[in-house]
Amino acid sequence: MSSPPRTLRCSRTSGGAVVLRPPEFDCGSVTQAREEMLILLNRGAASLLVDLADCSAVCACCGVPALVRVFRRARALGTAFHVIAPRDARARRPLDDARRVSREPFPLVSTSEA
């Protein structure tokens, strides 16, 4: 029996950007996180930052496609979208790999200065 998904942490910056800090972005948690991000975009978030600095896992087969889906929706709405993952973060490798082969790479930054 699998454990329930951990809570997606969400906050707003003083500039109005929504910052999401998922504890993991794997096959067990990605659906909830993707849907919450799409809801935020559809409700008019001015900017969406996905901070993966403390994320324990990003799954290349389901986590990365979810980020691409959210990026496409943000772009269609004219909303700024950035994924934050320091170069030494556990989440960084699948993100770098995906950006290398993607025709539509999502914005990936190393610090929260997006």
Side-chain angles (χ1 to χ4, degrees):
M1 188 173 201
S2 64
S3 60
R6 292 168 50 194
T7 304
L8 182 67
R9 296 169 297 193
C10 180
S11 61
R12 289 193 185 267
T13 66
S14 59
V18 177
V19 181
L20 297 170
R21 292 179 180 88
E24 64 265 327
F25 211 68
D26 58 10
C27 294
S29 64
V30 72
T31 301
Q32 174 192 0
R34 182 193 65 226
E35 293 305 311
E36 289 186 33
M37 287 186 276
L38 291 171
I39 288 168
L40 289 166
L41 289 173
N42 291 333
R43 288 185 179 166
S47 180
L48 183 60
L49 308 173
V50 181
D51 186 350
L52 300 176
D54 296 324
C55 186
S56 63
V58 172
C59 181
C61 66
C62 54
V64 171
L67 290 171
V68 171
R69 168 73 179 95
V70 173
F71 167 62
R72 288 178 179 159
R73 182 67 182 153
R75 187 177 57 195
L77 293 171
T79 303
F81 175 79
H82 297 279
V83 177
I84 302 164
R87 296 200 187 285
D88 61 347
R90 296 176 84 183
R92 187 65 185 231
R93 184 171 182 176
L95 300 173
D96 283 335
D97 291 347
R99 287 179 43 82
R100 268 193 291 282
V101 299
S102 178
R103 289 178 293 174
E104 308 177 79
F106 48 82
L108 178 61
V109 296
S110 297
T111 66
S112 58
E113 297 173 11

